[in-house]
């Protein structure tokens, strides 16, 4: 009997330890783009589930990829762009999705799912979170001051013509720090395929950047939001929603600075950012809960309403603020959509060529 009692005690102790372990397991580690979620999204998830979230941010696919390929990233949820996804799936970086754990999958936009399936057949590893374009954020007053009223703000000429860039230097130009997104913009401008693997063409794209390099204040993929908003720079090549955030911040700060976003008439790059679970994630069940949470129309509409990016959730559209739905930067009209090209998925060897070229551009030699 005593023995039995002790066994019971042992069992209940083990039970308590297991519960304790489970309590510690109520954690989730998320690695997302900066400025890419509503201020209270994570807190709402924590309050509803009791799961504690560690939320870290990056601002380029290149940074995320380096973490993922090194292995043991420690993250349970990551958000690569579709242009990096296919390669990473092949490298075995992600777990296949168990859609039976994602009851809200039905809310996703089938057209966008189909588009995203080009990098992930049957959407087997990831779902689209937000999408956007890579265009030009600018301060109309300052641009007019240096280039006059005819400044080609609706064309890549604004920056790729060295004489324009040289004048804009006075008020500040920035580009994204991403070879895989910026070199295709130059290739496109030069009339080459955006997914060119021809090294001579890539070198020409690099040379185009070299010509305007002395006029560029910096290459960075998140700093431009506040710099545009507070008037420190006047033109930034950036992500659609980030420029819209700059516009909103400038407005909140007293409306002295005005910011606009333009998708150049020659066309611009577009991306889907995809939510996925790394192969070695430690908290897979919690990752599914978070994914399903992000697929809720009320949650994801609130994210869009805060960050200005279009989400990929059809059921959420009626909940998106009309001002955002009507903003051609967030939801471009069909004719503009037709000019967008997908940021290409480049083989690793070409990606390396681009990265080396980009390092030279940034160094200016
Ligand atoms: C958020 C940028 C996300 C869009 N700051 C780039 N994929």
């Amino acid at each position: 009997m005593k023995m039995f009692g002790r066994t019971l005690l042992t069992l209940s102790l083990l039970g308590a330890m297991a519960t304790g372990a489970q309590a510690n397991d109520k954690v989730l580690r998320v690695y997302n783009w900066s400025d890419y979620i509503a201020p209270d999204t994570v807190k709402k998830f924590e309050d509803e589930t009791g799961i504690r979230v560690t939320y870290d941010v990056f601002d380029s696919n290149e940074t995320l990829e380096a973490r993922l390929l090194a292995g043991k990233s420690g993250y349970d949820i990551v958000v690569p762009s579709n242009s990096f996804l296919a390669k990473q799936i092949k490298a075995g970086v992600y777990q296949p999705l168990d859609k039976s754990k994602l009851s809200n999958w039905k809310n996703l936009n089938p057209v966008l799912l189909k588009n995203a399936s080009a990098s992930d057949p049957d959407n087997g590893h990831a779902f689209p979170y937000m999408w956007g374009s890579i265009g030009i954020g600018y301060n109309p007053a300052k641009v007019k001051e240096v280039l006059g009223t005819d400044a080609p703000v609706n064309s890549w000429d604004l920056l790729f013509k060295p004489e324009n860039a040289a004048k804009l230097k006075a008020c500040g130009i920035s580009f994204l720090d991403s070879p895989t997104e910026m070199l295709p913009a130059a290739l496109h401008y030069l009339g080459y395929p955006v997914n060119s693997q021809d090294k001579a063409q890539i070198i020409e794209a690099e040379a185009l950047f070299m010509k305007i390099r002395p006029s560029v204040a910096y290459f960075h993929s998140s700093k431009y939001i506040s710099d545009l908003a507070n008037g420190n720079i006047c033109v930034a090549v950036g992500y659609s929603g980030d420029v819209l955030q700059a516009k909103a911040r400038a407005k909140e700060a007293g409306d002295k600075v005005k910011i606009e976003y333009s998708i150049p008439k020659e066309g611009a790059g577009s991306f889907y950012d995809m939510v996925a679970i790394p192969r070695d994630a430690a908290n897979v069940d919690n990752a599914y809960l978070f994914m399903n949470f992000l697929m809720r129309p009320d949650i994801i509409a609130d994210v869009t309403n805060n960050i200005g990016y279009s989400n990929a959730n059809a059921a959420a559209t009626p909940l998106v603020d009309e001002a955002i739905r009507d903003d051609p930067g967030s939801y471009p009209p069909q004719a503009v959509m037709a000019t967008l090209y997908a940021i290409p998925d480049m083989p690793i060897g070409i990606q390396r060529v681009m990265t080396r070229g980009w390092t030279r551009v940034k160094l200016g030699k």
Side-chain angles (χ1 to χ4, degrees):
M1 195 60 201
K2 200 172 172 212
M3 196 55 202
F4 184 61
R6 201 174 281 164
T7 308
L8 257 187
L9 182 69
T10 314
L11 278 178
S12 58
L13 264 179
L14 279 177
M17 277 164 66
T19 322
Q22 232 164 20
N24 287 336
D25 283 342
K26 291 211 91 155
V27 293
L28 178 72
R29 287 175 55 91
V30 177
Y31 198 31
N32 192 6
W33 293 82
S34 48
D35 306 290
Y36 220 32
I37 201 154
D40 59 351
T41 312
V42 167
K43 183 167 186 309
K44 277 187 196 158
F45 177 76
E46 290 181 325
D47 290 349
E48 281 187 24
T49 61
I51 294 168
R52 205 165 32 78
V53 178
T54 304
Y55 188 88
D56 295 336
V57 297
F58 56 87
D59 69 3
S60 81
N61 277 298
E62 286 81 354
T63 304
L64 169 64
E65 180 159 274
R67 289 292 292 265
L68 290 171
L69 295 184
K72 296 207 174 62
S73 70
Y75 291 108
D76 305 305
I77 289 278
V78 293
V79 191
S81 297
N82 60 320
S83 51
F84 277 66
L85 187 70
K87 238 185 341 253
Q88 293 167 349
I89 291 172
K90 280 193 205 104
V93 168
Y94 302 116
Q95 309 200 357
L97 286 184
D98 177 353
K99 291 183 192 149
S100 70
K101 294 186 174 155
L102 297 168
S103 56
N104 291 330
W105 186 276
K106 58 179 187 298
N107 297 327
L108 300 176
N109 182 329
V111 176
L112 300 191
L113 281 174
K114 186 161 181 294
N115 293 350
S117 72
S119 344
D120 178 22
D122 300 324
N123 308 107
H125 297 80
F127 76 90
Y129 175 63
M130 299 280 158
W131 63 274
S133 58
I134 301 175
I136 300 176
Y138 65 100
N139 177 324
K142 291 206 170 185
V143 170
K144 189 174 152 197
E145 231 172 79
V146 289
L147 283 181
T149 37
D150 292 336
V153 290
N154 63 344
S155 164
W156 289 107
D157 284 346
L158 183 71
L159 293 163
F160 285 141
K161 281 212 161 146
E163 61 273 27
N164 290 342
K167 287 187 189 146
L168 290 168
K169 181 181 181 180
C171 55
I173 298 175
S174 80
F175 282 86
L176 293 174
D177 184 9
S178 168
T180 52
E181 293 171 334
M182 293 296 90
L183 289 171
L187 284 166
H188 189 65
Y189 182 73
L190 292 167
Y192 298 135
V194 290
N195 61 350
S196 174
Q197 295 189 23
D198 180 332
K199 290 191 186 142
Q201 293 179 356
I202 295 173
I203 288 172
E204 236 185 281
E206 184 188 324
L208 180 60
F209 271 104
M210 278 300 190
K211 272 194 223 146
I212 58 168
R213 175 67 187 90
S215 307
V216 177
Y218 62 78
F219 298 86
H220 197 279
S221 298
S222 49
K223 202 160 102 71
Y224 62 94
I225 305 179
S226 50
D227 281 345
L228 273 178
N230 61 27
N232 279 351
I233 56 172
C234 60
V235 183
V237 173
Y239 303 118
S240 47
D242 287 8
V243 175
L244 298 173
Q245 288 176 47
K247 183 175 174 171
R249 280 190 211 174
K251 206 172 181 152
E252 274 160 31
D255 225 6
K256 279 203 254 354
V257 173
K258 294 222 190 298
I259 299 300
E260 294 299 339
Y261 178 66
S262 133
I263 297 178
K265 62 176 192 292
E266 299 88 353
S270 65
F271 56 83
Y272 291 94
D273 290 326
M274 312 292 299
V275 185
I277 307 177
R279 169 94 41 198
D280 55 6
N283 305 293
V284 175
D285 288 341
N286 299 345
Y288 275 107
L289 289 175
F290 191 65
M291 280 182 156
N292 211 34
F293 180 77
L294 290 181
M295 289 178 197
R296 251 171 56 188
D298 59 324
I299 296 299
I300 202 72
D302 185 49
V303 176
T304 288
N305 290 339
N306 276 276
I307 65 172
Y309 284 92
S310 336
N311 61 63
N313 191 307
T317 307
L319 306 176
V320 170
D321 290 345
E322 220 167 297
I324 295 182
R325 266 188 288 154
D326 292 347
D327 190 314
S330 296
Y331 287 81
Q334 210 39 52
V336 176
M337 288 292 286
T339 67
L340 299 180
Y341 59 82
I343 296 294
D345 172 5
M346 302 306 280
I348 198 84
I350 297 292
Q351 197 177 307
R352 275 198 204 107
V353 171
M354 294 172 108
T355 304
R356 280 198 294 270
W358 194 244
T359 306
R360 285 189 291 270
V361 167
K362 287 196 290 177
L363 290 171
K365 55 186 182 193

